[in-house]
Amino acid sequence: MNYIKGKSWPVLMIAIVFVVMCVLSTASFAEGNFAAPEVREAARIISVTGTADIMVIPDEAVFSLAVETTNLDISKAKSENDTKIKKIKDIAKDMNIDPKYIVTDYINVNPKYTYTNSGENVFKGYTVHRGLIITLKDLKRFDELLTRLLEAGADYIQNVQFKTTQLRKYKDEARALAIKAAREKAEALAKELGQTVGKASNIQEIQENTYSYYGPWSSVGAGRATNVLSNSTSNAQIAGTQNSNYEDFSPGQIKVSAGVSVIFDLI
């Protein structure tokens, strides 16, 4: 019997055959994978968005205002500011506004300087700037409160935000309409392709603005590439409510909105 490097021919041949078989098996497996991969059907879905707007008559107004005083003596600057703030709070009390709806928003105390033409920095005193937030529940007294605040020394009426105390109720209604709008949009798109819509596999809420503001800075909703449903109060009802509750002041309506993004199975 012949030997090569300490290995017998039969043992060596068996080892070579085993290695060749392993290589062929691996190649065959790899070739089979590339030639006939497992086919998985891609998920068939349709993704849409829907929004809904409900027009609501507001029942409260939130005033954001500020008082500013300046004096060379910091104590006097604060004292003068306190006097103005007290007048404003007295007005709110006189109009039967609950103290819990009169809140100090912030207070800033800063040195004030002016620059002369020669570039000199001149100290002018200390400025005390304090903000207040007042919530008015009786909107028929809106004009009265606004006028009296200015007369009392409110230096800035920064904005007035109109709200509804039933926001949760209207938000739920708008959300339900938004989902309905998304479903109708998906069905309309699928129909054009000769298909139908199945169950929803993913739902996300889209944040929408819900309040309106008093002033030229009021925001106007931009057009959206979505399906929108709206639900508003009749003009007759609005006019009747305004005439009976608001006298000369007409806050109009605020928009309570909701938006959703939904993914449906496509059948």
Side-chain angles (χ1 to χ4, degrees):
M1 181 178 293
N2 295 324
Y3 292 89
I4 299 176
K5 294 185 179 180
K7 296 288 185 180
S8 64
W9 274 105
V11 174
L12 184 60
M13 291 298 294
I14 291 173
I16 292 173
V17 171
F18 178 76
V19 171
V20 172
M21 291 179 63
C22 288
V23 172
L24 292 175
S25 297
T26 303
S28 176
F29 177 78
E31 182 182 358
N33 275 349
F34 284 108
E38 181 183 357
V39 178
R40 293 184 179 180
E41 184 179 359
R44 293 183 297 181
I45 60 174
I46 179 171
S47 178
V48 295
T49 56
T51 62
D53 301 326
I54 295 181
M55 304 309 296
V56 179
I57 298 174
D59 55 15
E60 65 179 13
V62 180
F63 289 74
S64 295
L65 56 102
V67 170
E68 184 177 276
T69 54
T70 302
N71 196 294
L72 290 173
D73 187 327
I74 190 171
S75 297
K76 290 183 178 180
K78 183 180 181 303
S79 177
E80 292 168 1
N81 196 280
D82 290 342
T83 300
K84 284 188 174 183
I85 291 294
K86 185 179 183 304
K87 288 182 180 180
I88 291 174
K89 289 184 175 181
D90 287 344
I91 287 172
K93 181 180 179 180
D94 184 60
M95 294 182 64
N96 297 318
I97 297 177
D98 194 310
K100 69 181 179 181
Y101 295 125
I102 308 168
V103 181
T104 298
D105 188 23
Y106 62 88
I107 180 170
N108 296 324
V109 180
N110 298 296
K112 183 177 181 179
Y113 295 88
T114 58
Y115 295 91
T116 64
N117 294 333
S118 60
E120 184 181 1
N121 195 10
V122 180
F123 176 68
K124 301 296 291 184
Y126 293 94
T127 296
V128 178
H129 193 99
R130 186 182 307 184
L132 279 180
I133 295 178
I134 299 177
T135 300
L136 178 67
K137 297 289 185 177
D138 186 0
L139 287 187
K140 69 177 179 290
R141 305 189 73 178
F142 178 91
D143 281 333
E144 178 187 356
L145 177 59
L146 180 60
T147 300
R148 294 184 68 178
L149 287 175
L150 294 172
E151 291 175 347
D155 298 291
Y156 305 96
I157 303 295
Q158 295 164 327
N159 69 62
V160 179
Q161 188 179 38
F162 295 106
K163 294 185 176 183
T164 172
T165 55
Q166 301 184 68
L167 179 61
R168 174 62 186 272
K169 169 189 172 182
Y170 294 121
K171 193 72 174 179
D172 288 345
E173 291 179 10
R175 193 179 294 112
L177 288 172
I179 290 179
K180 180 180 178 182
R183 178 83 189 190
E184 291 177 354
K185 185 176 185 180
E187 290 174 347
L189 291 173
K191 183 179 179 181
E192 294 298 322
L193 300 173
Q195 295 176 286
T196 58
V197 172
K199 295 182 178 180
S201 59
N202 183 280
I203 302 175
Q204 291 185 337
E205 185 173 11
I206 302 171
Q207 296 300 320
E208 297 280 340
N209 182 43
T210 56
Y211 300 126
S212 66
Y213 294 85
Y214 178 80
W217 51 85
S218 300
S219 59
V220 179
R224 307 180 186 89
T226 55
N227 208 24
V228 180
L229 291 180
S230 64
N231 181 18
S232 60
T233 310
S234 68
N235 292 331
Q237 181 180 348
I238 295 170
T241 306
Q242 290 173 349
N243 290 336
S244 60
N245 294 337
Y246 304 143
E247 297 179 352
D248 294 333
F249 173 68
S250 175
Q253 300 178 82
I254 59 175
K255 181 175 67 175
V256 178
S257 302
V260 294
S261 174
V262 187
I263 297 177
F264 294 98
D265 292 333
L266 190 59
I267 303 173

